[in-house]
Amino acid sequence: MKTKSLLVEFFFLIFLSNTLFAQQDKNIQIACKNYSIESAVRFMEMAEKAQNGILPDDEAWRQLFATEGYHCFFSACRDSLEWQQNIRTAFQVVFDKSQQARLDSVVSQPLNGNGPFLNNFIVNFNSLKNRLDVLNTFIHDTDFSMLLHKAHAKALQYLPARINDLHPTFTKFYFLSWDLEDRTWSNGIYFDLNTCYEDGEEGLINVMAHELHHHYMGALLEDRFKKDPKDAALWAIIVNQQEGTADIINKQKMPVEKLGLYGPMIVKIYNDDYNASPEVLKQLDNLTCDYLAGKITEKQYKEARQCAHFGGHTTGDFMVFLIRDQLGLQAAIDCFCDFPAFIRRYNEAAVKADTYVFSDTFVEHINKVCQEMEKE
């Protein structure tokens, strides 16, 4: 009877596991169809007309910004008017022949972070103009649903097994044209068309997986904590782990040799900041210890949130890549969204690599804050 009971339990577990994976796969199938190329197509149509000497009027811009992708982004963006102005001005500089001298001046120098934000749009739109035909083929002939399915599969490889017990609601993917970046917001995941083409198919799958990884993190955080984290040090750790783990998917190696259409100076600044991460982590530790000892105010302690440089892409890469390289990839994956475990794993890796190790006070603080949040 005992053997029979164990067999029943065994087959029930198999059934439950298959049910969970089937549900997850169903969720992914639905999510893979949840994208829109409308904004990118409309932008390309305007670019083709402009190439033939017909520049858009105010009504054409109104219609473009009313397309789903742009509308959703601007509805959640506090400085939407500035974004719209940058897009319009950059388009004018690139396609209006009377502004050729200004265009030549901008594109003659690599993007090195010294110029205005507008220059990022100008450089991107100029690159787009030079490959209109191939981008038209790309946007109309690419099976984005298939790429998204591959991206989901890849993102899941970099997430702990418990993600299969959760059922995240996926936001929509939007393809449009703006600066050189892709962005994940609460109301959508936004991709720049030209940057997508620049990445190549495998690169695009990896970047999609990176952004989806952030989306899955939201489900893991909601499952672990019922409220948003308020502690400044924990916030920095969350951002660092989020970007560092996702960056394993599409960067894999640090320091980097290339960052899209950005110039060599930005690549150098990025890599220098990555190499300076031990000092940043020491600053994070010191701020936390000083706050707990009453040496600084809560306002001063909020500076700890800034210890996730480049939005977590450099400092976070340093932490996560160190765990991967010293303890193995699975060690970096298993502690995802378990921030006390993340700090412990980092310290283990840091000891082996002879780099900065967090103090016991810092480790205990992160552990205490997480325990208190889990109880709320």
Side-chain angles (χ1 to χ4, degrees):
M1 291 296 291
K2 187 175 182 181
T3 302
K4 183 178 180 181
S5 177
L6 287 173
L7 284 171
V8 170
E9 183 177 344
F10 174 70
F11 285 116
F12 173 74
L13 288 173
I14 291 177
F15 169 77
L16 182 62
S17 175
N18 288 338
T19 301
L20 288 171
F21 279 110
Q23 181 61 46
Q24 186 79 322
D25 188 61
K26 183 179 179 182
N27 291 341
I28 290 172
Q29 293 290 351
I30 294 171
C32 288
K33 298 176 182 178
N34 198 23
Y35 70 90
S36 171
I37 62 172
E38 178 195 11
S39 293
V41 169
R42 182 65 64 87
F43 188 94
M44 289 295 293
E45 290 171 353
M46 288 173 56
E48 285 187 309
K49 288 181 179 179
Q51 187 80 312
N52 293 321
I54 305 172
L55 293 169
D57 56 17
D58 288 343
E59 177 58 20
W61 284 113
R62 188 197 66 75
Q63 291 180 12
L64 175 70
F65 294 147
T67 57
E68 189 179 355
Y70 284 113
H71 175 75
C72 286
F73 179 79
F74 294 143
S75 68
C77 181
R78 285 180 294 182
D79 50 356
S80 60
L81 292 179
E82 181 182 346
W83 276 86
Q84 291 179 29
Q85 191 58 49
N86 278 332
I87 292 170
R88 291 187 63 162
T89 302
F91 190 99
Q92 197 79 13
V93 171
V94 169
F95 289 99
D96 187 346
K97 294 180 180 180
S98 69
Q99 298 208 39
Q100 187 66 44
R102 183 179 179 184
L103 174 62
D104 291 342
S105 175
V106 172
V107 300
S108 65
Q109 299 294 325
L111 285 173
N112 285 323
N114 297 325
F117 184 39
L118 171 64
N119 287 358
N120 292 16
F121 294 80
I122 294 174
V123 168
N124 195 30
F125 292 174
N126 186 63
S127 174
L128 177 145
K129 180 182 75 172
N130 294 330
R131 50 170 64 142
L132 279 178
D133 290 341
V134 293
L135 283 176
N136 254 322
T137 301
F138 173 70
I139 193 64
H140 289 293
D141 293 355
T142 298
D143 185 349
F144 290 105
S145 182
M146 178 270 292
L147 296 182
L148 279 167
H149 195 278
K150 289 184 176 181
H152 274 281
K154 179 158 282 191
L156 287 169
Q157 294 174 20
Y158 294 85
L159 289 157
R162 67 181 183 276
I163 191 63
N164 292 307
D165 298 329
L166 307 176
H167 307 292
T169 301
F170 296 101
T171 55
K172 198 164 186 174
F173 273 79
Y174 296 104
F175 296 87
L176 35 70
S177 291
W178 53 17
D179 67 335
L180 302 164
E181 298 290 339
D182 306 314
R183 293 171 174 84
T184 296
W185 283 37
S186 60
N187 71 339
I189 300 177
Y190 302 89
F191 281 85
D192 174 72
L193 173 64
N194 189 46
T195 305
C196 288
Y197 179 81
E198 184 79 16
D199 289 335
E201 182 174 301
E202 187 61 29
L204 177 54
I205 291 169
N206 289 340
V207 172
M208 284 176 165
H210 174 113
E211 300 300 335
L212 282 166
H213 194 273
H214 292 335
H215 209 57
Y216 279 108
M217 183 180 190
L220 288 166
L221 281 174
E222 286 181 12
D223 181 63
R224 188 176 182 89
F225 306 123
K226 304 309 175 189
K227 293 183 179 180
D228 291 337
K230 297 292 192 296
D231 183 81
L234 177 59
W235 181 267
I237 291 300
I238 290 173
V239 173
N240 280 328
Q241 192 193 37
Q242 169 184 278
E243 293 299 347
T245 309
D247 273 348
I248 291 179
I249 303 173
N250 64 308
K251 283 201 180 73
Q252 301 173 354
K253 181 182 176 183
M254 286 291 291
V256 297
E257 296 178 357
K258 186 175 182 291
L259 285 172
L261 295 176
Y262 292 110
M265 186 181 294
I266 288 182
V267 174
K268 183 179 185 305
I269 291 171
Y270 191 91
N271 288 333
D272 286 349
D273 196 72
Y274 171 83
N275 291 324
S277 293
E279 286 301 311
V280 180
L281 299 178
K282 181 179 180 181
Q283 180 191 9
L284 174 60
D285 198 342
N286 289 341
L287 282 166
T288 304
C289 292
D290 286 349
Y291 174 66
L292 295 174
K295 295 179 180 179
I296 61 174
T297 65
E298 185 174 359
K299 184 177 180 180
Q300 290 171 311
Y301 176 52
K302 287 182 179 179
E303 292 179 19
R305 296 168 73 101
Q306 307 307 316
C307 293
H309 286 197
F310 278 83
H313 285 286
T314 52
T315 323
D317 287 6
F318 180 85
M319 295 183 72
V320 176
F321 285 30
L322 192 71
I323 296 172
R324 180 199 64 184
D325 296 342
Q326 297 297 326
L327 306 179
L329 175 61
Q330 201 59 47
I333 293 171
D334 288 344
C335 65
F336 189 64
C337 277
D338 184 344
F339 306 110
F342 176 50
I343 297 301
R344 291 195 301 271
R345 292 277 172 86
Y346 167 80
N347 272 359
E348 288 179 49
V351 168
K352 292 184 69 173
D354 192 26
T355 189
Y356 186 76
V357 177
F358 285 113
S359 69
D360 290 343
T361 301
F362 184 86
V363 175
E364 291 167 6
H365 174 69
I366 296 297
N367 188 54
K368 180 182 177 182
V369 171
C370 287
Q371 286 180 346
E372 290 173 350
M373 287 180 61
E374 287 172 353
K375 290 177 183 177
E376 292 180 354

